[in-house]
Amino acid sequence: AKESATGSQPGANTQPLKMKRRKRRKLGTSRSDSMRNEIGGWKGAKPISGTCAKIEKSYFRLTSEPDSASVRPLKILKKSLENVKRRWMADEDYEYAKDQLRAIRQDLNVQHIMSKFTLEVYQTHARIAMEADDIEDL
């Protein structure tokens, strides 16, 4: 049996999901806009081109447009994700991994990068959160 968008069996009430979609349409936002606004606090319309070369960078909530020197480009973000995975496998320091993954997601967000790599970052974050029994961060 095929499951519905809410994860329940066919014929189940999908009203909450439909209401969310309707609300987004009414507000003129898409799911990607909603996701973009949830991460980091800054709601900029134009993408920032990152120039930061640091592999490790702590997460901080943005309250204004970030400086491009503090945002890592995609090439560095890929190295950063590999570093997080390697460190997680070595010592399972969840607070470090969570902080680094949030910073990676934020850098992707402010550059408006939505790609297979972005999906990999979110999947990695979810997998590590499950392994750490952090249901709230899923």
Side-chain angles (χ1 to χ4, degrees):
K2 190 174 181 180
E3 292 189 2
S4 70
T6 59
S8 59
Q9 293 298 319
N13 185 1
T14 59
Q15 191 65 18
L17 181 60
K18 288 179 183 176
M19 293 296 284
K20 287 180 183 179
R21 287 182 187 148
R22 206 173 293 136
K23 184 177 179 183
R24 277 198 305 265
R25 276 194 296 259
K26 185 175 181 181
L27 295 173
T29 61
S30 67
R31 173 170 276 158
S32 60
D33 290 337
S34 298
M35 180 179 73
R36 201 174 284 128
N37 293 339
E38 287 174 7
I39 306 165
W42 176 72
K43 298 172 180 73
K46 64 176 185 163
I48 304 295
S49 294
T51 60
C52 180
K54 293 180 180 179
I55 300 292
E56 294 183 354
K57 183 181 104 171
S58 290
Y59 169 81
F60 60 94
R61 183 173 272 302
L62 298 174
T63 56
S64 62
E65 183 174 323
D67 178 28
S68 64
S70 67
V71 177
R72 297 167 293 181
L74 185 58
K75 179 176 140 183
I76 301 298
L77 293 173
K78 288 180 178 182
K79 292 178 182 178
S80 183
L81 181 61
E82 290 309 312
N83 181 58
V84 171
K85 289 178 181 180
R86 191 171 34 258
R87 291 267 311 254
W88 174 252
M89 295 302 289
D91 59 18
E92 293 190 2
D93 181 354
Y94 180 62
E95 291 305 314
Y96 169 82
K98 182 169 87 169
D99 179 64
Q100 292 299 304
L101 288 164
R102 288 181 78 189
I104 292 169
R105 288 170 42 193
Q106 184 177 63
D107 285 352
L108 289 166
N109 177 44
V110 298
Q111 296 177 88
H112 297 194
I113 298 172
M114 293 193 163
S115 63
K116 287 184 180 182
F117 176 70
T118 306
L119 179 61
E120 181 183 355
V121 170
Y122 277 83
Q123 289 174 336
T124 300
H125 196 168
R127 182 181 48 79
I128 289 174
M130 288 189 307
E131 289 178 16
D133 292 326
D134 185 4
I135 304 303
E136 291 180 14
D137 205 38
L138 290 175

